Amino acid sequence: MSTLHDHAATIMRRSDELAAFTTVEGQITRPYGTSALLDARDQLAAWMGEADMSTHVDNVGNLFGRYEADTQSIDPKTFLVGGHFDSVVDAGRYDGTLGILTGIAVVQHLNETGRRFPFAIEVAAFADEEGNRFHTSFLGSSPVAGLWDPAWVTLEDDAGTPLKEAIRALGGDPEAIGSDTIDSGSVLGFIEVHIEQGPVLQDRNLPVAAVSSITGSLRATIEFAGMAGHAGTVPMALRRDALAGAAELVLAVEAVGASETDLVATVGTLECSPGASNVIPGHAHLTLDLRHPDSTIRERAYAGVRAQAEAIAERRSLDLDWTDSPSFAETVCDARLTKTLREAIAGEGIEPLSLFSGAGHDAITMANICPVTMLFVRCRDGISHNPAESIDEVDVEAALRVLERFLFAVAGQR
Ligand code: GLV
Ligand code: MN
Ligand code: MN
């Protein structure tokens, strides 16, 4: 029988094993709908099986491992514990996967010690949270939470591959996704263990903290079209340089982000074509990600960026194509569950801090069907969305202890 101390070591090892599932050698790049994602899912399913969970996959490609309730409970409800196993481009190894691996570890520990609750535990492994490939948010958890938009099946990635094809590559039926919503009456709650992705826990010398609320975000894909031409012969005054227009917008976005406390705004991708040193760029394509916990401020800032894009296009005689991407609203974690989580943290002798999350998480969508909370785990220097992401095994052990104690407390309340 393994202790939670042993399970923390297993999680560190499994995080390394999952990191090997990538579409780009030498990186961790695991977008939705790829064979790397499928292989990672098979590995997760195998580990769930070892923890005595039955597994199933839904149409968008999420994997669920179910650990049944005790035999005395008739028609038991479910408590969901989870995370995501897609990644950003050149990612770290803990963002998302930690929530799945901690869920599996706690279930395995419960199984090894012969304990079950009056509710089933399902470990949810979401197939897409980052949304990099199709410029979405929470593609995996949206159908689960009843927030699937049927119009999304017409989305294409930057290479023109339809989302439908990516769904089928994971074995799903695009037309059936809308029917995968979990009945909200059957779910008691959702918790995700996630790296903090910020420096506060390191500063405070604490291993874990509860999450009080999660920011909201607005996103767009933006295209400037001008006129490609000869870099040596077209006079500067006659140019319609799409990249120069995009560059102006990048700086405008930075200024908007810096204009207000808690506002952040990022251009994370910028591409120009045709892309040659002696050709004036005829097209420029960029993405905007803008976040603030207050929707009024967020929407005002977003409208401000759009107005600046229009003004740049007008002044430079460029055509502007602005497309709103799926966005997400700010979400407050459930007060009762989060109190229970803080008590579990204190029960482990750790100061029970609550943190705000500037990153988006599946708890945002899951809040549509059940109470949600999150446990943040300290990460080195707050670095995330970067291969240098790093956590300590002792902090993972603390997270496992808190998570198990939390589930016992939820069971005790029933
Ligand atoms: C997910 O990591 C996000 O906050 O975009
Ligand atoms: Mn992320
Ligand atoms: Mn994440």
Side-chain angles (χ1 to χ4, degrees):
M1 191 186 73
S2 308
T3 62
L4 288 178
H5 178 78
D6 301 326
H7 282 293
T10 302
I11 286 174
M12 299 308 282
R13 205 176 51 247
R14 287 180 171 179
S15 301
D16 294 343
E17 284 179 56
L18 284 178
F21 298 112
T22 177
T23 55
V24 181
E25 217 41 56
Q27 293 185 358
I28 304 166
T29 297
R30 201 164 48 237
Y32 180 73
T34 57
S35 59
L37 192 93
L38 201 54
D39 292 345
R41 189 175 73 184
D42 287 347
Q43 179 60 79
L44 289 167
W47 289 331
M48 287 173 173
E50 283 174 31
D52 200 28
M53 284 183 263
S54 56
T55 58
H56 79 274
V57 168
D58 70 6
N59 282 295
V60 83
N62 301 317
L63 166 71
F64 297 88
R66 184 175 175 88
Y67 183 65
E68 295 297 344
D70 55 26
T71 46
Q72 295 93 310
S73 301
I74 300 154
D75 199 14
K77 294 184 189 289
T78 303
F79 202 99
L80 289 163
V81 183
H84 59 95
F85 61 102
D86 68 318
S87 84
V88 292
V89 174
D90 202 10
R93 63 193 58 202
Y94 304 106
D95 176 358
T97 54
L98 187 64
I100 305 167
L101 295 177
T102 48
I104 295 173
V106 163
V107 167
Q108 188 151 8
H109 188 240
L110 291 170
N111 187 46
E112 285 164 351
T113 48
R115 293 170 300 174
R116 290 182 189 267
F117 294 124
F119 47 82
I121 298 175
E122 274 196 31
V123 177
F126 295 119
D128 182 303
E129 185 263 9
E130 305 286 5
N132 282 186
R133 182 169 173 196
F134 291 96
H135 304 294
T136 54
S137 298
F138 317 126
L139 206 55
S141 57
S142 291
V144 176
L147 295 171
W148 176 255
D149 180 346
W152 288 347
V153 290
T154 62
L155 291 172
E156 292 182 350
D157 68 7
D158 292 341
T161 309
L163 175 59
K164 276 187 183 182
E165 205 172 290
I167 292 166
R168 290 198 189 100
L170 297 180
D173 173 359
E175 310 307 328
I177 288 183
S179 61
D180 282 339
T181 301
I182 294 184
D183 168 22
S184 71
S186 72
V187 190
L188 291 170
F190 170 76
I191 184 167
E192 176 169 4
V193 176
H194 201 285
I195 54 168
E196 182 202 344
Q197 306 181 284
V200 179
L201 288 174
Q202 182 173 290
D203 274 7
R204 299 285 297 261
N205 194 25
L206 292 170
V208 294
V211 176
S212 52
S213 60
I214 307 170
T215 197
S217 144
L218 288 166
R219 298 179 193 189
T221 61
I222 304 157
E223 181 123 18
F224 285 109
M227 176 83 175
H230 198 293
T233 59
V234 183
M236 295 309 285
L238 297 183
R239 292 185 181 202
R240 295 170 59 219
D241 183 331
L243 181 58
E248 257 195 73
L249 186 62
V250 171
L251 294 180
V253 166
E254 185 185 44
V256 167
S259 67
E260 190 122 21
T261 314
D262 293 336
L263 186 64
V264 286
T266 308
V267 173
T269 69
L270 172 60
E271 280 160 29
C272 71
S273 61
S277 60
N278 57 355
V279 182
I280 301 161
H283 278 86
H285 183 276
L286 60 161
T287 51
L288 169 68
D289 178 309
L290 185 147
R291 305 182 189 208
H292 191 281
D294 180 321
S295 62
T296 309
I297 295 173
R298 195 164 66 235
E299 275 152 26
R300 194 174 58 220
Y302 186 77
V305 172
R306 183 165 183 164
Q308 297 211 47
E310 283 162 3
I312 291 165
E314 172 82 30
R315 190 161 22 82
R316 291 178 167 273
S317 301
L318 302 171
D319 294 324
L320 172 69
D321 186 4
W322 179 290
T323 309
D324 297 327
S325 300
S327 57
F328 53 87
E330 65 277 15
T331 301
V332 178
C333 290
D334 179 71
R336 181 147 171 262
L337 271 192
T338 306
K339 178 168 176 284
T340 305
L341 183 59
R342 285 169 56 94
E343 286 164 1
I345 294 169
E348 289 300 323
I350 302 163
E351 182 194 334
L353 191 69
S354 290
L355 293 178
F356 161 76
S357 173
H361 298 287
D362 291 301
I364 292 173
T365 39
M366 295 304 287
N368 197 49
I369 52 163
C370 64
V372 301
T373 194
M374 290 188 70
L375 181 70
F376 272 175
V377 178
R378 167 168 51 191
C379 61
R380 188 168 307 153
D381 298 330
I383 295 170
S384 182
H385 283 188
N386 183 311
E389 233 170 53
S390 172
I391 57 174
D392 285 338
E393 192 176 313
V394 283
D395 293 350
V396 174
E397 184 181 341
L400 291 177
R401 290 187 189 287
V402 169
L403 179 60
E404 193 178 86
R405 187 182 276 270
F406 166 82
L407 290 169
F408 272 102
V410 171
Q413 285 165 7
R414 289 180 52 73

